[in-house]
Amino acid sequence: MQLRKTLMMLTALSALSVVMTGCPADEETSLTCTADGDCLDGEICHPSSKVCVKTCTAGSDCPSSAKTCAAISTSDNRQVCQCSTDVLCNSEGTTDLVCSNLDKVCTPKCTSDSACGTGRTCDTATGQCKAGSNPGTTCSGTAQSTCSYGQFCSSSTCTAAPVAPTTCENFPSGNRPDWSATTSNGPVIYSITKLRYETNSSFCTSGGAYVFSIRAYRTDANWPDTRNGLSGFFYVKTDTTKLDVVNSGLLLPNTGYNRSTTNLKDAEFQTYLCANLSSIQVGYYFTGGNPVCASFNQ
């Protein structure tokens, strides 16, 4: 007999308290599962969260912990009861459940990636499973590829994007963008390199100029067609003074903005800085994105 039904029968016969996980219902408790046969009549095994969830045609069919009746996804039109808050998931006095940010069903708090299934990782601070891969996961191409937000594909491996340390003068502690790979969603700078140093550069009224290539991806939308649509891109000096890169004219005149033709969420920005210095330390960031700090010699 299937696991879900067997446990329910044992509970009724022995009057023992069986610890079950999932979304607490008014009169029944859901259980983790691997197939629909593990669940009670009127339930299915959620294809991603792997917990038994009640099917429905309207919100009135659902328990108090999950009162919304909606399709599982745009590609799976089966309707199930969905939750809205962790508090309602734990309405029976437990603290072990969360309302999944990804699937909107009550699930046990995860403690490791193995609890989250393929293509997901565990945020142990919140107990939520999140989309994306761990650093070290194989990927292909460049920019974000199949990596989690805050990572980029480097040499076929998901790698954490650079973040300026607090020892960087451009971004000291207490005067730096508040960015987190788990909670932020701004553009991610994943590469900054020096293209060249120009002596007596035409970009400057006198002296030389450093020319840099900065690559960044975004997840909320495509990069704009032209530089005129760019905003929120800043250069930060070592005294923490910041300049808007576009409005200050720090992009190269013709080649300063290059959106990828194969991935519209990936772009290169070529900037210049007039400086008669043998070495320079620079800081860059986008609004809502990671601060990066780098040092270069002529």
Side-chain angles (χ1 to χ4, degrees):
M1 188 177 291
Q2 293 98 336
L3 174 63
R4 170 80 162 124
K5 296 175 182 177
T6 301
L7 285 175
M8 292 300 288
M9 289 180 64
L10 289 173
T11 301
L13 291 172
S14 64
L16 295 175
S17 175
V18 179
V19 178
M20 297 180 178
T21 55
C23 204
D26 291 332
E27 297 181 353
E28 57 186 270
T29 307
S30 297
L31 183 70
T32 53
C33 55
T34 57
D36 292 345
D38 296 332
C39 304
L40 292 176
D41 292 340
E43 294 180 344
I44 60 171
C45 186
H46 193 282
S48 301
S49 286
K50 296 301 180 185
V51 292
C52 292
V53 291
K54 190 173 182 179
T55 57
C56 57
T57 57
S60 57
D61 298 329
C62 298
S64 59
S65 55
K67 292 298 293 181
T68 301
C69 182
I72 291 176
S73 67
T74 55
S75 59
D76 189 337
N77 60 9
R78 290 178 295 173
Q79 290 189 292
V80 298
C81 297
Q82 297 185 355
C83 58
S84 58
T85 69
D86 293 351
V87 173
L88 289 177
C89 286
N90 291 289
S91 59
E92 293 186 354
T94 66
T95 58
D96 301 327
L97 307 175
V98 293
C99 181
S100 168
N101 291 334
L102 298 176
D103 302 317
K104 298 304 179 186
V105 295
C106 300
T107 63
K109 289 182 178 179
C110 66
T111 56
S112 65
D113 294 337
S114 61
C116 293
T118 304
R120 296 184 174 188
T121 57
C122 178
D123 182 348
T124 55
T126 63
Q128 288 274 1
C129 293
K130 59 183 182 179
S133 55
N134 285 321
T137 301
T138 300
C139 57
S140 62
T142 59
Q144 185 178 15
S145 183
T146 55
C147 304
S148 297
Y149 173 81
Q151 301 172 15
F152 70 105
C153 191
S154 175
S155 301
S156 300
T157 302
C158 289
T159 305
V163 180
T166 55
T167 53
C168 171
E169 294 174 290
N170 310 65
F171 297 109
S173 179
N175 193 6
R176 55 193 285 117
D178 184 15
W179 181 83
S180 167
T182 57
T183 59
S184 301
N185 61 2
V188 173
I189 296 174
Y190 63 90
S191 172
I192 176 170
T193 58
K194 187 192 79 173
L195 294 178
R196 60 188 180 274
Y197 180 80
E198 297 183 355
T199 304
N200 298 320
S201 174
S202 60
F203 302 134
C204 309
T205 55
S206 64
Y210 286 86
V211 180
F212 304 107
S213 170
I214 300 164
R215 300 202 67 95
Y217 69 77
R218 59 190 299 174
T219 58
D220 60 331
N222 295 335
W223 286 108
D225 295 336
T226 67
R227 69 174 67 198
N228 293 332
L230 292 172
S231 63
F233 182 24
F234 299 99
Y235 160 62
V236 182
K237 300 179 180 180
T238 53
D239 64 1
T240 71
T241 301
K242 69 178 183 180
L243 299 173
D244 185 296
V245 171
V246 178
N247 292 338
S248 298
L250 297 180
L251 288 178
L252 295 191
N254 297 313
T255 60
Y257 175 58
N258 304 289
R259 185 177 66 172
S260 171
T261 57
T262 57
N263 179 3
L264 301 184
K265 289 182 169 61
D266 181 33
E268 179 200 26
F269 307 83
Q270 293 186 7
T271 68
Y272 72 91
L273 295 173
C274 297
N276 295 314
L277 301 170
S278 59
S279 63
I280 191 171
Q281 180 172 284
V282 297
Y284 289 94
Y285 76 97
F286 286 90
T287 299
N290 58 319
V292 296
C293 182
S295 298
F296 300 97
N297 297 320
Q298 282 190 16

